[in-house]
């Protein structure tokens, strides 16, 4: 029953591949899966033989995925996630909606959203999922909805604007601008600016062509962004929700008084719109009114 039709790939093979990469070693994966290390190795070897490609490169010190392995792991996670949803719904007799976000969920509105959800959707569990991908987890099937502040370059995702947020500059507490009540784009650009050009809400187009930052430090997620700014190497511009959700010692946020607001979107896969989409969008819009 665990065999996938037309292939020799089994769910246990996919579980072993995911566990090895999550845990970092075959030994730890075996402990997590409650099987022997040899069994984990056999399952990985069986998966590679079935697919006809090498998935995992092993040395005495490390484990890494091949290019094929990265593609297979992404699809394996999607399959396992869908299976987990199926099993959960079958046992509970209720549904679950997963709402993804790359940086911050709904900022100061997050708690109120959870409360309103519990009242409006009594039989449906809400799960907020951080996914640092351009579609907030929609493309890989790990979320049903996404809160986006930068629209992805794909026609597969449909969206609706639910609100907007002020822009804030984040800086180290000893930055010269920290003493100001608000700052300008020109002032911010006098130092390096950290940007996540995949999922962040800030790009160079925010500045006029001849007033752009002297240096851009590329980062890959919110933790990377916070660490670079906290070190004093760069400043950052972000949405109000980030300023609310990620408070840290040694970091301060100041409003950017001449920057346009950040649009906030609810998004979903166009060909597979989630159930109760209209009600959920209305609930989200109500938070920003």
């Amino acid at each position: 029953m665990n065999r996938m039709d037309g292939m020799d790939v089994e769910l246990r093979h996919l579980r072993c591949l995911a566990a090895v990469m999550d845990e970092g070693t075959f030994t730890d994966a075996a402990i997590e899966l409650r099987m022997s290390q040899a069994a984990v190795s056999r399952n990985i070897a069986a998966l590679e033989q079935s697919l006809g490609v090498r998935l995992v490169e092993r040395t005495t010190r490390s484990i890494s995925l091949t290019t094929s392995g990265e593609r297979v792991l992404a699809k394996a996670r999607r399959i396992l996630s869908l299976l987990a949803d199926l099993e959960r719904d079958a046992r509970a007799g209720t549904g679950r909606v997963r709402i993804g976000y790359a940086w911050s969920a709904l900022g100061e509105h997050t708690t109120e959203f959870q409360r309103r959800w519990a009242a409006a959707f009594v039989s449906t569990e809400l799960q907020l999922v951080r996914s640092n991908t351009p579609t907030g987890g929609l493309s890989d099937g790990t979320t049903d909805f996404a809160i986006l502040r930068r629209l992805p370059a794909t026609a597969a995702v449909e969206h609706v604007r639910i609100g907007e947020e002020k822009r804030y500059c984040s800086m180290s507490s000893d930055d010269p601008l920290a003493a100001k009540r608000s700052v300008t784009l020109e002032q911010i650009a006098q130092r390096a600016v950290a940007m996540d050009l995949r999922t962040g809400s800030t790009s160079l187009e925010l500045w006029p062509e001849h007033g752009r930052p002297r240096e851009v430090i590329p980062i890959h997620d919110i933790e990377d962004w916070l660490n670079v700014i906290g070190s004093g190497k760069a400043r950052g511009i972000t949405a109000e929700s980030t300023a609310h959700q990620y408070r840290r010692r040694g970091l301060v946020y100041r409003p950017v008084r001449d920057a346009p607001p950040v649009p906030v979107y609810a998004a979903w896969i166009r060909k597979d719109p989630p159930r109760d989409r209209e009600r959920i969008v209305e609930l989200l819009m109500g938070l920003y009114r």
Side-chain angles (χ1 to χ4, degrees), residues 237-258:
I237 298 180
T238 189
E240 185 177 0
S241 53
T242 305
H244 182 274
Q245 195 159 327
Y246 293 97
R247 297 285 182 179
R248 282 194 177 183
R249 185 183 299 274
L251 273 182
V252 297
Y253 294 91
R254 296 292 181 262
V256 185
R257 61 178 179 266
D258 60 346

Side-chain angles (χ1 to χ4, degrees), residues 25-256:
T25 68
F26 278 70
T27 300
D28 290 339
I31 295 172
E32 176 67 20
L33 295 171
R34 298 183 180 180
M35 61 173 62
S36 68
Q37 183 177 338
V40 173
S41 296
R42 285 196 300 270
N43 279 307
I44 298 293
L47 180 60
E48 291 178 326
Q49 182 177 1
S50 176
L51 297 176
V53 293
R54 185 78 169 172
L55 302 176
V56 179
E57 297 287 356
R58 279 195 282 179
T59 68
T60 55
R61 294 184 177 181
S62 65
I63 297 173
S64 61
L65 289 174
T66 63
T67 301
S68 295
E70 291 177 354
R71 291 195 297 267
V72 171
L73 178 62
K75 292 185 181 298
R77 291 195 190 282
R78 182 173 184 178
I79 291 169
L80 295 172
S81 176
L82 291 172
L83 178 63
D85 287 346
L86 176 65
E87 293 174 341
R88 185 185 185 95
D89 290 350
R91 287 195 303 267
T94 61
R96 175 177 60 160
V97 171
R98 303 161 302 170
I99 299 184
Y101 61 94
W103 280 49
S104 53
L106 295 161
E108 64 177 341
H109 305 300
T110 302
T111 300
E112 180 63 22
F113 176 58
Q114 291 170 313
R115 290 173 178 166
R116 293 188 187 185
W117 181 280
F121 300 98
V122 177
S123 299
T124 304
E125 178 190 356
L126 170 65
Q127 183 178 1
L128 297 176
V129 181
R130 188 155 75 91
S131 173
N132 195 53
T133 62
T135 64
L138 293 174
S139 293
D140 59 18
T142 57
T143 61
D144 308 298
F145 268 95
I147 304 300
L148 303 177
R149 293 170 178 86
R150 175 196 289 253
L151 292 176
T154 172
V157 173
E158 189 172 2
H159 67 274
V160 62
R161 183 164 174 159
I162 60 173
E164 62 182 36
E165 297 173 350
K166 296 178 182 178
R167 290 187 196 263
Y168 278 74
C169 175
S170 177
M171 66 196 82
S172 62
S173 56
D174 58 356
D175 189 294
L177 295 184
K180 297 181 177 294
R181 296 183 61 181
S182 65
V183 296
T184 66
L185 290 170
E186 182 181 2
Q187 291 171 328
I188 296 167
Q190 292 169 6
R191 281 193 179 181
V193 178
M195 297 184 195
D196 183 342
L197 298 177
R198 292 177 64 249
T199 62
S201 59
T202 303
S203 68
L204 285 173
E205 284 67 35
L206 190 60
W207 285 266
E209 186 174 354
H210 300 293
R212 291 176 176 174
R214 64 183 186 183
E215 180 185 0
V216 171
I217 297 181
I219 53 90
H220 305 292
D221 59 31
I222 180 64
E223 291 298 328
D224 194 11
W225 186 80
L226 291 168
N227 290 335
V228 168
I229 293 172
S231 71
K233 295 179 181 178
R235 295 164 176 159
I237 298 180
T238 189
E240 185 177 0
S241 53
T242 305
H244 182 274
Q245 195 159 327
Y246 293 97
R247 297 285 182 179
R248 282 194 177 183
R249 185 183 299 274
L251 273 182
V252 297
Y253 294 91
R254 296 292 181 262
V256 185

